[in-house]
Amino acid sequence: YLGPNQATFAPAINTGKELGVKFKPMQRTEMRLAVWRQDATGEVANMPATGTTVGLGETRRQGVDFQLTARPTDRLDFWLSHSLQKAEVVSAFTADGVSLSGKEVFSTPRHISNAGAEYRASDKWRFGVQGRAQGDYFIDSPNARGKFGGFVLFDASVRYAISKRASIDVQIKNLTDRRYAYAW
């Protein structure tokens, strides 16, 4: 059911390319680097907060992704990922007929990063920490209301294995109780 004020949209055709390399610079370490681009003919965004769907028009997303995983010992894992991306409208107009070409696609941060470590103290105990970050993003199609939503957060976790099939997990999200604005 689309609702009384919901527009109908044709399917978006997405095409893209990715060029990447994955290699092992040393034992127990893997790195991946990729450059990518995706074009969409009629991208659509679902807006759960308002129960509507918005047509974004023709869009282009492109970026660079980097990932690193390492296991320096049998008990310790590290990981790191960083993505840079740009998402812009290639061709679209507002209801008033104003061109959105060249505007950034709303709700799309320019960078997203993750880093963390897990220590396996024994077969039963695991301890982890993780940091997450993302950049600010525009909250509207014309890019007129500013950028919001950027954050840097840290999480922690503890796992105790009761058996091979069951465990007790405790997670603390936003360990430093940092405030940030979530805007959709």
Side-chain angles (χ1 to χ4, degrees):
Y1 176 71
L2 293 174
N5 297 323
Q6 276 290 57
T8 57
F9 297 95
I13 305 300
N14 295 303
T15 58
K17 296 176 181 154
E18 180 174 332
L19 177 63
V21 62
K22 183 176 178 181
F23 56 99
K24 294 184 174 195
M26 62 185 85
Q27 190 176 2
R28 297 204 229 197
T29 302
E30 287 189 0
M31 294 176 69
R32 178 183 172 274
L33 181 64
V35 179
W36 56 271
R37 183 166 105 179
Q38 175 187 351
D39 294 313
T41 59
E43 187 171 340
V44 176
N46 293 318
M47 307 294 291
T50 61
T52 60
T53 302
V54 177
L56 302 175
E58 187 179 339
T59 61
R60 172 169 286 158
R61 298 169 186 270
Q62 52 193 1
V64 177
D65 297 338
F66 171 77
Q67 295 175 337
L68 169 70
T69 57
R71 179 172 276 180
T73 72
D74 288 338
R75 296 186 180 269
L76 186 60
D77 290 332
F78 291 105
W79 63 90
L80 169 72
S81 67
H82 185 67
S83 294
L84 298 172
Q85 63 181 339
K86 182 177 183 182
E88 69 180 15
V89 176
V90 174
S91 177
F93 295 89
T94 66
D96 304 347
V98 176
S99 175
L100 297 174
S101 297
K103 301 291 185 183
E104 290 188 35
V105 174
F106 68 88
S107 296
T108 306
R110 285 283 190 111
H111 65 85
I112 300 171
S113 301
N114 286 288
E118 182 180 73
Y119 177 69
R120 290 175 298 286
S122 68
D123 290 342
K124 298 215 178 255
W125 288 98
R126 291 182 180 212
F127 302 92
V129 293
Q130 178 178 329
R132 302 176 283 134
Q134 78 175 28
D136 288 338
Y137 49 84
F138 285 106
I139 61 170
D140 63 328
S141 291
N143 298 169
R145 296 185 180 159
K147 285 185 163 188
F148 301 90
F151 62 77
V152 175
L153 300 176
F154 297 96
D155 307 327
S157 63
V158 175
R159 169 179 280 186
Y160 177 75
I162 299 169
S163 68
K164 288 186 178 188
R165 296 178 59 177
S167 65
I168 297 173
D169 295 79
V170 176
Q171 297 179 355
I172 301 172
K173 300 289 186 180
N174 194 2
L175 189 62
T176 59
D177 196 27
R178 185 169 180 166
R179 295 185 184 271
Y180 66 99
Y182 173 76
W184 190 322

